[in-house]
Amino acid sequence: MELAVLLVNELAVGEVRGRDLAPPADGASRRAAVLGATARLDRPPAGSLTAADADRLAEVAAELRPVFGGGPDAVASLNALLVRHAAVANLHGEPPVLAFHQPDASLVDAWAADAGTALAMVIGVGQGVRLRSCEADGCALVFFDVTRNTSRRFCGLSCQNRAKASAYRARRRA
Protein backbone atom coordinates (compact mmCIF):
# COMPACT_ATOMS: atom_id res chain seq x y z
CA MET A 1 0.00 0.00 0.00
CA GLU A 2 2.79 2.37 0.91
CA LEU A 3 4.40 1.83 -2.50
CA ALA A 4 1.19 2.84 -4.27
CA VAL A 5 0.90 6.02 -2.19
CA LEU A 6 4.56 6.93 -2.78
CA LEU A 7 4.39 6.37 -6.54
CA VAL A 8 1.23 8.43 -6.93
CA ASN A 9 2.48 11.26 -4.71
CA GLU A 10 5.89 11.44 -6.41
CA LEU A 11 4.86 10.95 -10.04
CA ALA A 12 1.21 11.93 -10.52
CA VAL A 13 0.38 14.86 -8.23
CA GLY A 14 0.50 18.46 -9.41
CA GLU A 15 -0.33 20.37 -6.21
CA VAL A 16 1.28 19.86 -2.82
CA ARG A 17 0.38 21.78 0.32
CA GLY A 18 -0.86 24.83 -1.54
CA ARG A 19 1.97 24.99 -4.05
CA ASP A 20 1.93 23.97 -7.68
CA LEU A 21 4.38 21.17 -8.26
CA ALA A 22 5.06 19.89 -11.72
CA PRO A 23 5.57 16.13 -11.65
CA PRO A 24 9.01 15.15 -12.94
CA ALA A 25 8.94 15.56 -16.72
CA ASP A 26 11.84 13.46 -17.95
CA GLY A 27 13.04 9.95 -17.23
CA ALA A 28 16.12 11.00 -15.27
CA SER A 29 14.22 13.25 -12.85
CA ARG A 30 11.47 10.63 -12.51
CA ARG A 31 14.13 8.04 -11.72
CA ALA A 32 15.60 10.29 -9.03
CA ALA A 33 12.13 10.90 -7.53
CA VAL A 34 11.34 7.18 -7.43
CA LEU A 35 14.71 6.30 -5.92
CA GLY A 36 14.36 8.98 -3.28
CA ALA A 37 10.82 8.01 -2.35
CA THR A 38 11.39 4.26 -2.24
CA ALA A 39 14.75 4.31 -0.44
CA ARG A 40 13.08 3.50 2.86
CA LEU A 41 10.80 0.73 1.55
CA ASP A 42 11.63 -2.94 1.73
CA ARG A 43 11.52 -3.39 -2.04
CA PRO A 44 13.65 -5.13 -4.65
CA PRO A 45 16.89 -3.26 -5.33
CA ALA A 46 16.00 -0.10 -7.20
CA GLY A 47 19.55 0.44 -8.41
CA SER A 48 18.63 -1.23 -11.69
CA LEU A 49 15.82 1.29 -12.29
CA THR A 50 16.36 3.03 -15.63
CA ALA A 51 14.91 6.27 -16.92
CA ALA A 52 12.60 4.24 -19.18
CA ASP A 53 11.42 2.25 -16.15
CA ALA A 54 10.73 5.50 -14.33
CA ASP A 55 8.66 6.70 -17.29
CA ARG A 56 6.62 3.49 -17.16
CA LEU A 57 6.17 3.89 -13.39
CA ALA A 58 4.84 7.42 -14.00
CA GLU A 59 2.21 5.90 -16.29
CA VAL A 60 1.33 3.36 -13.60
CA ALA A 61 1.06 6.15 -11.00
CA ALA A 62 -1.28 8.10 -13.28
CA GLU A 63 -3.47 4.99 -13.58
CA LEU A 64 -3.49 4.44 -9.82
CA ARG A 65 -4.33 8.09 -8.96
CA PRO A 66 -8.12 7.85 -9.62
CA VAL A 67 -8.39 4.86 -7.27
CA PHE A 68 -7.77 7.22 -4.33
CA GLY A 69 -11.08 8.94 -3.84
CA GLY A 70 -13.01 6.35 -5.86
CA GLY A 71 -13.21 7.84 -9.32
CA PRO A 72 -15.99 6.55 -11.58
CA ASP A 73 -13.77 4.19 -13.57
CA ALA A 74 -11.37 3.35 -10.73
CA VAL A 75 -12.26 -0.33 -10.43
CA ALA A 76 -12.19 -0.98 -14.18
CA SER A 77 -8.87 0.82 -14.52
CA LEU A 78 -7.40 -1.10 -11.58
CA ASN A 79 -8.58 -4.42 -13.03
CA ALA A 80 -6.97 -3.58 -16.37
CA LEU A 81 -3.69 -2.72 -14.62
CA LEU A 82 -3.71 -6.01 -12.71
CA VAL A 83 -4.22 -8.00 -15.92
CA ARG A 84 -1.63 -6.03 -17.89
CA HIS A 85 1.07 -6.52 -15.25
CA ALA A 86 0.22 -10.20 -14.64
CA ALA A 87 -0.65 -9.83 -10.97
CA VAL A 88 -0.88 -13.32 -9.54
CA ALA A 89 -0.18 -14.50 -6.00
CA ASN A 90 2.83 -16.78 -5.64
CA LEU A 91 5.67 -17.65 -3.33
CA HIS A 92 9.24 -17.18 -4.44
CA GLY A 93 12.67 -16.47 -3.04
CA GLU A 94 14.55 -18.08 -0.18
CA PRO A 95 13.01 -18.02 2.35
CA PRO A 96 9.74 -17.93 0.39
CA VAL A 97 7.87 -14.64 0.43
CA LEU A 98 4.37 -13.90 -0.82
CA ALA A 99 4.41 -11.68 -3.88
CA PHE A 100 1.82 -10.71 -6.46
CA HIS A 101 4.08 -10.76 -9.50
CA GLN A 102 5.93 -13.43 -11.44
CA PRO A 103 9.42 -14.27 -10.13
CA ASP A 104 10.95 -13.15 -13.45
CA ALA A 105 8.88 -9.94 -13.75
CA SER A 106 10.60 -6.66 -14.55
CA LEU A 107 10.93 -4.14 -11.74
CA VAL A 108 8.10 -2.02 -13.17
CA ASP A 109 5.75 -4.99 -13.60
CA ALA A 110 6.57 -6.23 -10.10
CA TRP A 111 5.92 -2.88 -8.46
CA ALA A 112 2.78 -2.23 -10.52
CA ALA A 113 1.36 -5.67 -9.74
CA ASP A 114 2.15 -5.41 -6.03
CA ALA A 115 0.75 -1.86 -5.68
CA GLY A 116 -2.34 -2.68 -7.73
CA THR A 117 -3.01 -5.84 -5.74
CA ALA A 118 -2.69 -3.97 -2.44
CA LEU A 119 -5.24 -1.40 -3.62
CA ALA A 120 -7.55 -4.14 -4.93
CA MET A 121 -7.39 -5.98 -1.61
CA VAL A 122 -8.29 -2.82 0.31
CA ILE A 123 -11.24 -2.16 -1.98
CA GLY A 124 -12.25 -5.83 -2.04
CA VAL A 125 -12.63 -6.06 1.73
CA GLY A 126 -14.87 -3.00 1.81
CA GLN A 127 -12.26 -0.52 2.98
CA GLY A 128 -12.03 1.57 -0.19
CA VAL A 129 -13.16 4.65 1.79
CA ARG A 130 -9.72 4.57 3.43
CA LEU A 131 -8.06 5.46 0.12
CA ARG A 132 -8.26 9.24 0.33
CA SER A 133 -7.04 12.45 -1.22
CA CYS A 134 -6.11 15.45 0.88
CA GLU A 135 -9.10 17.81 1.30
CA ALA A 136 -6.99 20.94 1.72
CA ASP A 137 -7.25 23.54 -1.00
CA GLY A 138 -4.25 23.30 -3.28
CA CYS A 139 -3.13 19.83 -2.21
CA ALA A 140 -3.64 16.65 -4.21
CA LEU A 141 -1.54 14.22 -2.17
CA VAL A 142 -3.07 10.82 -1.48
CA PHE A 143 -2.92 8.70 1.66
CA PHE A 144 -4.29 5.57 3.30
CA ASP A 145 -6.47 6.52 6.27
CA VAL A 146 -5.57 4.31 9.23
CA THR A 147 -7.70 6.11 11.82
CA ARG A 148 -10.21 3.97 13.68
CA ASN A 149 -13.28 5.82 12.41
CA THR A 150 -11.89 6.79 8.96
CA SER A 151 -12.04 10.48 9.83
CA ARG A 152 -8.69 11.66 8.49
CA ARG A 153 -9.16 14.48 5.98
CA PHE A 154 -5.68 15.83 5.35
CA CYS A 155 -2.38 14.36 4.21
CA GLY A 156 -0.51 15.85 7.14
CA LEU A 157 -0.43 18.48 9.85
CA SER A 158 0.66 21.31 7.57
CA CYS A 159 -2.45 20.94 5.38
CA GLN A 160 -4.67 20.55 8.43
CA ASN A 161 -3.21 23.69 10.00
CA ARG A 162 -3.59 25.68 6.76
CA ALA A 163 -7.25 24.62 6.47
CA LYS A 164 -8.03 25.45 10.08
CA ALA A 165 -6.32 28.84 9.85
CA SER A 166 -8.21 29.61 6.66
CA ALA A 167 -11.53 28.63 8.27
CA TYR A 168 -10.72 30.78 11.30
CA ARG A 169 -9.94 33.80 9.12
CA ALA A 170 -13.18 33.27 7.18
CA ARG A 171 -15.20 33.16 10.41
CA ARG A 172 -13.51 36.35 11.64
CA ARG A 173 -14.38 38.17 8.40
CA ALA A 174 -18.05 37.12 8.57
Side-chain angles (χ1 to χ4, degrees):
M1 178 57 62
E2 191 175 9
L3 176 64
V5 170
L6 284 171
L7 287 176
V8 170
N9 284 343
E10 287 296 323
L11 300 174
V13 170
E15 289 181 311
V16 176
R17 296 182 178 94
R19 296 187 178 118
D20 287 335
L21 175 74
D26 63 340
S29 59
R30 286 180 179 152
R31 180 180 182 276
V34 170
L35 290 176
T38 60
R40 64 177 184 214
L41 293 179
D42 184 24
R43 293 264 108 206
S48 60
L49 183 73
T50 65
D53 290 340
D55 288 339
R56 288 185 57 213
L57 282 172
E59 293 169 8
V60 168
E63 284 183 81
L64 293 177
R65 175 66 181 95
V67 175
F68 292 87
D73 298 326
V75 172
S77 173
L78 187 56
N79 282 334
L81 180 130
L82 291 170
V83 169
R84 191 172 50 257
H85 294 283
V88 60
N90 66 78
L91 295 168
H92 61 268
E94 192 57 44
V97 293
L98 177 63
F100 295 93
H101 59 273
Q102 298 294 332
D104 59 345
S106 71
L107 186 66
V108 173
D109 287 335
W111 285 9
D114 288 350
T117 301
L119 292 173
M121 289 185 347
V122 168
I123 293 168
V125 297
Q127 296 296 312
V129 296
R130 293 185 180 275
L131 302 173
R132 308 283 303 268
S133 294
C134 185
E135 293 181 17
D137 290 335
C139 186
L141 290 176
V142 299
F143 59 92
F144 181 66
D145 184 359
V146 295
T147 60
R148 180 178 286 183
N149 61 356
T150 65
S151 61
R152 185 172 166 192
R153 297 175 45 215
F154 304 103
C155 64
L157 284 177
S158 61
C159 281
Q160 181 178 345
N161 290 341
R162 279 189 314 106
K164 286 185 176 186
S166 177
Y168 172 78
R169 286 191 295 272
R171 284 193 308 271
R172 297 284 293 185
R173 282 190 296 261

